[in-house]
Amino acid sequence: MPAPAPVAPAPVTAPAPAARQGWLDRLKAGLRKTGSSLATVFTGTQIDDALYEELEEALLMADTGVKATEHLLKDLKRRVKEAKTTEPGQVKALLAEAIADLLRPLEKALVIGEFTPTVIMVAGVNGAGKTTSIGKLTKHLANEGASVLLAAADTFRAAAREQLGVWADRNTVEIVSQEGGDPAAVSFDAVTAGKARGKDVVLVDTAGRLPTQLHLMEELKKIKRVVTKADGSAPHEVLLVIDGNTGQNALAQVRSFDDALGLTGLIVTKLDGTAKGGVLAAIAQERPIPVYFIGVGEKLEDLETFNAREFAQALLS
Ligand SMILES: Nc1nc2c(ncn2[C@@H]2O[C@H](COP(=O)(O)OP(=O)(O)O)[C@@H](O)[C@H]2O)c(=O)[nH]1
Ligand SMILES: [Mg+2]
């Protein structure tokens, strides 16, 4: 069998404008809980200290964190002064711009095709949405013509292997899985197989763990080392999946996993129905790791590329 032609390096892009509009509506709906308390701040008739105090409180309640809240208030006051704004409604629009500017460093596309395969390791706490996001991402990649191999390195529970297997079947991609196997060994086999079979992407699903479970964090480091043994340039991406509902706790996870593994990107899930969507601002302020994708639901199409302006506007719409 001839080796498949390598895909040229390309960002995993956003869908066509019509589909993007549908996504924007879902994003707005998803962020409504976070946004509604922010929006009520601007329903008064004056721009006064009370407005800024209310805004500070609303930002903190949305888990924006003290530092990012301080930064946003200062930046907003400067913008209000510059624009000589007198309408609270206009202040809201200026806040959207301030938030977009703060979040912009998080905007980055996941690029595949530079390496064959591009090896992507996925980590996070239990239930954050790792396996679901991998399933959605596989679909995304397959749509763009990339061949994907899944590695079931969450070997603790049979159910976890089966869950990934369902996503593999649904997307008709291959999976490397081993009953009761060692997660590092499964990852090694998958990367080796990905190279031999000329796959474009190998996605490694790992078991959930807390940063405080030091032996499990060591295991994760071992998986990373062993992946490098299978392919000297891998892993090309180390992604952390965080549950947007966990607010400031998610920020703590970003810090710990980054210290342990050196993260290259984030996937933020469950932004639908959360009142803590401000956490992205806290991440931008304190540990600006690119957000490749955000999730606003359980369906396949509910994972999309992150855009700072869209996010800020959806938040304050
Ligand atoms: N509402 C919502 N649920 C999600 C999202 N992403 C994942 N989930 C759900 O979260 C639960 C845990 O997901 P799973 O992928 O198994 O988490 P894992 O333990 O990190 O692999 C499942 O019920 C998913 O359907 C999201 O963006 N929004
Ligand atoms: Mg899982």
Side-chain angles (χ1 to χ4, degrees), residues 5-11 111-114:
V7 284
V111 172
I112 61 148
E114 199 176 327

Side-chain angles (χ1 to χ4, degrees), residues 67 240 250-260 286-287:
K67 280 188 197 151
L240 179 71
L251 176 62
Q253 287 165 23
V254 171
R255 283 204 188 95
S256 308
F257 279 90
D258 187 34
D259 289 344
E286 300 189 40
R287 202 51 86 100

Side-chain angles (χ1 to χ4, degrees), residues 125-133 136 157 163 205 241 269-272 295-298 302:
V125 305
N126 259 322
K130 294 179 294 300
T131 307
T132 310
S133 297
K136 292 173 179 174
R157 300 171 300 131
Q163 190 191 357
D205 189 20
V241 178
T269 64
K270 307 191 197 182
L271 285 168
D272 49 311
V296 293
E298 295 182 274
D302 292 334

Side-chain angles (χ1 to χ4, degrees), residues 28-279:
K28 274 184 201 164
L31 289 174
R32 196 159 291 147
K33 261 199 189 157
T34 306
S36 61
S37 56
L38 284 174
T40 54
V41 172
F42 305 101
T43 52
T45 54
Q46 288 184 54
I47 304 171
D48 50 15
D49 286 349
L51 181 148
Y52 287 115
E53 271 164 36
E54 244 183 86
L55 178 58
E56 179 175 17
E57 204 173 301
L59 285 169
L60 289 172
M61 289 298 284
D63 266 357
T64 307
V66 174
K67 280 188 197 151
T69 298
E70 266 174 23
H71 164 86
L72 284 172
L73 283 171
K74 205 172 146 203
D75 190 25
L76 179 63
K77 284 177 185 169
R78 181 184 60 77
R79 285 171 200 260
V80 167
K81 208 170 156 189
E82 246 170 46
K84 300 192 173 63
T85 306
T86 53
E87 291 285 316
Q90 287 168 346
V91 180
K92 187 168 126 178
L94 292 174
L95 177 63
E97 283 174 24
I99 292 176
D101 280 355
L102 175 61
L103 296 182
R104 195 150 295 119
L106 302 184
E107 216 181 88
K108 192 178 169 212
L110 170 69
V111 172
I112 61 148
E114 199 176 327
F115 300 93
T116 309
T118 298
V119 179
I120 304 175
M121 200 177 142
V122 180
V125 305
N126 259 322
K130 294 179 294 300
T131 307
T132 310
S133 297
I134 285 174
K136 292 173 179 174
L137 190 51
T138 301
K139 170 84 178 160
H140 227 76
L141 292 163
N143 280 350
E144 301 198 358
S147 55
V148 180
L149 179 69
L150 298 177
D154 180 351
T155 55
F156 288 134
R157 300 171 300 131
R161 279 198 311 277
E162 282 159 21
Q163 190 191 357
L164 194 69
V166 170
W167 281 107
D169 289 344
R170 217 178 269 171
N171 290 304
T172 53
V173 299
E174 292 165 45
I175 180 168
V176 172
S177 178
Q178 225 177 66
E179 209 186 310
D182 168 61
V186 172
S187 306
F188 184 89
D189 286 353
V191 173
T192 308
K195 276 169 75 175
R197 298 178 203 171
K199 297 289 178 194
D200 297 314
V201 181
V202 175
L203 277 165
V204 182
D205 189 20
T206 63
R209 68 202 74 218
L210 292 169
T212 47
Q213 294 172 303
L214 296 181
H215 61 295
L216 294 181
M217 292 305 279
E218 283 306 317
E219 181 193 79
L220 210 48
K221 290 187 205 169
K222 181 178 165 195
I223 294 174
K224 190 183 173 198
R225 282 196 306 272
V226 167
V227 162
T228 308
K229 270 191 192 150
D231 175 346
S233 67
H236 308 98
E237 300 283 352
V238 182
L239 306 188
L240 179 71
V241 178
I242 50 174
D243 175 343
N245 261 308
T246 51
Q248 287 292 299
N249 199 348
L251 176 62
Q253 287 165 23
V254 171
R255 283 204 188 95
S256 308
F257 279 90
D258 187 34
D259 289 344
L261 293 174
L263 298 175
T264 62
L266 304 175
I267 297 178
V268 186
T269 64
K270 307 191 197 182
L271 285 168
D272 49 311
T274 180
K276 298 177 173 178
V279 69

